[in-house]
Amino acid sequence: MRPTVFVTEPTLLWALPETTLPIMWAVYRGTTRAIPAAELSLNEKKRPLKVSPKKKKLKENDVATAKPNKSVVIKKKPKKLVKTVIKGEPLERVPQTKPCEDNEEGTSFNAVLADLAKVNNSRDRASKLFQWLIHPVPAKDFFRDTWEKKPLLIPRQNPDYYNGLFSTAEFDRILREDDVQYGVNLDVTSYTNGKRDTHNPPGRALPFSVWDFYSSGCSLRMLNPQAFSSTVWNFLSILQEQFGSMAGANVYLTPPGTQGFAPHYDDIEAFVVQLEGKKHWRVYNPRSLEEVLPVTSSPNFSQSEIGSPVLEVVLEAGDLLYFPRGFIHQGDCLPNSHSLHVTVSSFQRNSWGDLLAKLVPAALGVAMEEDVEYRQGLPLDYLTYMGVQNSDKEDPRREKFLSRMGGLMNKLAGYAPVDAAVDEKAKEFLHDCLPPALTPEEQASSVQGSSTRWGNGRPLNVGANINSQTRVQLIRAGCARLCSDGEVIELYYTTDNSRVYHKEELKSFEIKTECADAVEFLIHAYPKFVSVRSIPCDSVAERIALAELLFEKGIIRTAEPL
């Protein structure tokens, strides 16, 4: 059955500065139907960061972030919101592409994972998996034309496309076998007469009560399916390297003829993967510039606050819907069908502004330490001509003060420890990450596949048996990062992370200064296997000791099982 697409024409959209108006593609097996939509053109705990020399240059949560002063009231002129009528665009074709050389559309998800396990480079693995997710839209085109700009609909007419990722049967198995807690792992919700309600009782979510809620018309949201489903864990642990940001997921099971959530927008990039049944979706443009790519999610909206949808569609199994953060959305079930979908999310708090929130305080700390101009006192009388109460005064002292402030701000960029601030963002990412879900080959050649065991009344095969001829490789491209605060060098890593978000503290250990180049060498050598004797340490014993340490932490694996 062909997916149903509703479009209101003419569509009323907010007119934004530098806004371009391309079409939004609805993909039908290589052909497209034009759907008007506005593309928003966008230009875009805690110790201070330090600049360190070569061995110490290496540097989620150590830098204090600047907070706005809420006591200052800024006078603004009211905005004029102008509506523009957008007309339909001519039909064009989107070329079909294969996500992997040997994977045709419709290949089962388990077969896709089996093919990806043969790819040695985890970055390539992530790229191929993402291409399969959005097939047939080329990933290059997606990130150029759609990402952070506009919604994308991919109807496939193939209900089996995402088979194996998750199912209602898997949902039921998890309820029976795992400790699923209301409010922690599962939400029970409803949306009736314009009101959203949550119905979570305390304690464990057992099938007896969960399916009773569902039969009564309540929606079920599983908040972290990757903690219970090895398949979802594998999927997200691969995909997170595509974004350089945590990839998360929520599963939504909705009864026929119901809606579980009020209209709202989120602070993440959302990929709605329809697994079973059907769901009717309405997507709305951001209401103003302030809601374009927001840093926080919205409250619930009433229907009167959101205007008309720019996209209205019934997703069927195998279809995909993407929308950027800030796009308001709501979904409800048709009377004759339930719905099961998983929303894959990423890019939360991963903006230039989030990086600057770490960089600016750090730059100011360096400037205060190194430049006397930042330590000079303010004018004795500056309170008499600066501040909101004096903002309408015509006073030459104000111009001089503002000029001095502008000069200091411009000069501040020269003191910005950009690499150290980027490392702080990287450490947040490493803390957010899922641990690697290892392929059988990786398992066999890592510490997790060690043959050490108990037998004949004693431990057998004790010791890693790594020597100078052993060839090693990082277990994943992004599983470890070398950082420094200017005093010590630490290696941060993900292999001991939990499948539950932030259940464990960020993992790291100190690296001797003389071993820093050796760790850099291993990181930059990926995906190649390199011999232990080629690691740049002062002695063979140091090379072997470093390799054994990284092997025991699960950070590297060997070319052959030990």
Side-chain angles (χ1 to χ4, degrees), residues 236-395:
L236 296 177
S237 74
I238 295 172
L239 203 58
Q240 63 194 5
E241 287 197 46
Q242 173 69 23
F243 301 115
S245 175
M246 184 192 77
N250 287 342
V251 169
Y252 298 83
L253 181 61
T254 310
T258 68
Q259 180 169 337
F261 295 87
H264 66 283
Y265 61 72
D266 295 312
D267 59 348
I268 47 89
E269 302 300 299
F271 296 84
V272 178
V273 180
Q274 189 70 25
L275 301 174
E276 296 175 7
K278 303 176 184 179
K279 199 161 199 178
H280 169 226
W281 284 90
R282 284 164 286 175
V283 181
Y284 309 76
N285 269 330
R287 301 177 304 167
S288 65
L289 268 176
E290 283 75 10
E291 294 182 357
V292 175
L293 303 180
V295 296
T296 57
S297 296
S298 74
N300 294 330
F301 295 121
S302 65
Q303 300 294 334
S304 63
E305 293 178 287
I306 58 179
S308 300
V310 293
L311 171 65
E312 188 170 3
V313 62
V314 174
L315 285 190
E316 300 185 15
D319 295 348
L320 178 84
L321 174 63
Y322 160 81
F323 44 82
R325 54 197 190 275
F327 276 75
I328 300 167
H329 53 278
Q330 60 179 322
D332 61 277
C333 268
L334 303 180
N336 60 350
S337 177
H338 81 293
S339 169
L340 179 74
H341 80 267
V342 57
T343 296
V344 177
S345 61
S346 191
F347 244 58
Q348 187 179 51
R349 296 187 297 275
N350 208 43
S351 67
W352 285 100
D354 291 300
L355 177 59
L356 285 169
K358 296 183 178 299
L359 181 59
V360 172
L364 187 57
V366 176
M368 291 281 287
E369 183 177 331
E370 298 185 4
D371 191 333
V372 68
E373 189 175 4
Y374 289 87
R375 303 195 299 271
Q376 290 173 348
L378 291 164
L380 296 178
D381 58 349
Y382 82 103
L383 294 178
T384 65
Y385 57 85
M386 296 305 301
V388 173
Q389 71 180 31
N390 302 309
S391 59
D392 293 330
K393 280 187 175 181
E394 292 185 6
D395 191 320

Side-chain angles (χ1 to χ4, degrees), residues 435-482:
L438 301 183
T439 67
E441 181 182 357
E442 291 168 341
Q443 177 100 10
S445 58
S446 73
V447 68
Q448 295 189 30
S450 169
S451 60
T452 303
R453 66 189 188 282
W454 181 265
N456 299 325
R458 61 188 178 89
L460 302 176
N461 298 334
V462 176
N465 298 320
I466 289 177
N467 57 48
S468 63
Q469 280 75 45
T470 305
R471 292 165 56 237
V472 297
Q473 174 206 52
L474 244 61
I475 200 81
R476 286 284 190 279
C479 75
R481 190 175 186 92
L482 205 58

Side-chain angles (χ1 to χ4, degrees), residues 103-109 132 135 156 158 160-161:
N103 281 342
E104 298 292 342
E105 179 180 345
T107 301
S108 74
F109 181 59
W132 173 82
H135 179 83
R156 289 203 174 84
N158 181 356
D160 299 326
Y161 190 79

Side-chain angles (χ1 to χ4, degrees), residues 518-545:
V519 176
E520 277 190 19
F521 170 77
L522 288 169
I523 291 173
H524 295 152
Y526 185 87
K528 295 179 180 178
F529 283 91
V530 296
S531 65
V532 171
R533 67 183 174 184
S534 68
I535 297 174
C537 287
D538 292 338
S539 67
V540 174
E542 287 182 335
R543 294 171 189 141
I544 293 175

Side-chain angles (χ1 to χ4, degrees), residues 122-128 130-131 139 143 238-245:
S122 64
R123 291 194 182 100
D124 290 345
R125 200 180 298 170
S127 177
K128 290 176 182 292
F130 181 73
Q131 182 60 80
F143 286 111
I238 295 172
L239 203 58
Q240 63 194 5
E241 287 197 46
Q242 173 69 23
F243 301 115
S245 175

Side-chain angles (χ1 to χ4, degrees), residues 109 113 125 129 164-166 170 173-174 224-241 246-249 251 342 344 432-439 442-443 448 476 494-501:
F109 181 59
L113 289 180
R125 200 180 298 170
L129 180 58
L165 178 55
F166 199 82
E170 178 75 352
R173 181 199 66 77
I174 290 170
N224 52 341
Q226 62 273 16
F228 307 107
S229 166
S230 295
T231 306
V232 177
W233 167 34
N234 195 358
F235 174 68
L236 296 177
S237 74
I238 295 172
L239 203 58
Q240 63 194 5
E241 287 197 46
M246 184 192 77
V251 169
V342 57
V344 177
D432 294 345
C433 272
L434 286 165
L438 301 183
T439 67
E442 291 168 341
Q443 177 100 10
Q448 295 189 30
R476 286 284 190 279
T494 67
T495 53
D496 285 340
N497 282 7
S498 170
R499 287 159 63 177
V500 176
Y501 178 72

Side-chain angles (χ1 to χ4, degrees), residues 71-245:
S71 64
V72 177
V73 179
I74 305 300
K75 295 180 180 179
K76 293 184 179 180
K77 294 182 179 179
K79 293 187 177 69
K80 294 181 179 180
L81 298 177
V82 183
K83 292 184 177 181
T84 304
V85 176
I86 310 302
K87 296 183 179 180
E89 299 284 348
L91 295 177
E92 295 187 28
R93 294 182 63 86
V94 173
Q96 293 216 29
T97 59
K98 297 180 183 180
C100 299
E101 290 93 5
D102 55 352
N103 281 342
E104 298 292 342
E105 179 180 345
T107 301
S108 74
F109 181 59
N110 289 330
V112 170
L113 289 180
D115 286 342
L116 291 176
K118 303 171 187 176
V119 179
N120 184 47
N121 188 330
S122 64
R123 291 194 182 100
D124 290 345
R125 200 180 298 170
S127 177
K128 290 176 182 292
L129 180 58
F130 181 73
Q131 182 60 80
W132 173 82
L133 179 70
I134 65 168
H135 179 83
V137 177
K140 182 179 179 181
D141 293 353
F142 173 81
F143 286 111
R144 183 192 64 220
D145 301 330
T146 306
W147 176 252
E148 293 190 324
K149 296 182 181 71
K150 59 184 179 180
L152 171 71
L153 169 65
I154 305 179
R156 289 203 174 84
Q157 304 177 38
N158 181 356
D160 299 326
Y161 190 79
Y162 293 118
N163 270 9
L165 178 55
F166 199 82
S167 66
T168 304
E170 178 75 352
F171 202 118
D172 182 68
R173 181 199 66 77
I174 290 170
L175 292 176
R176 295 181 181 280
E177 298 179 4
D178 292 298
D179 183 17
V180 178
Q181 293 287 318
Y182 284 113
V184 178
N185 313 115
L186 185 73
D187 281 333
V188 179
T189 67
S190 63
Y191 179 72
T192 55
N193 299 321
K195 183 182 179 184
R196 149 77 191 276
D197 288 306
T198 301
H199 308 280
N200 295 336
R204 182 175 171 182
L206 290 166
F208 178 85
S209 62
V210 171
W211 295 125
D212 185 51
F213 276 123
Y214 179 83
S215 299
S216 301
C218 292
S219 291
L220 308 176
R221 173 172 67 178
M222 184 170 287
L223 298 171
N224 52 341
Q226 62 273 16
F228 307 107
S229 166
S230 295
T231 306
V232 177
W233 167 34
N234 195 358
F235 174 68
L236 296 177
S237 74
I238 295 172
L239 203 58
Q240 63 194 5
E241 287 197 46
Q242 173 69 23
F243 301 115
S245 175

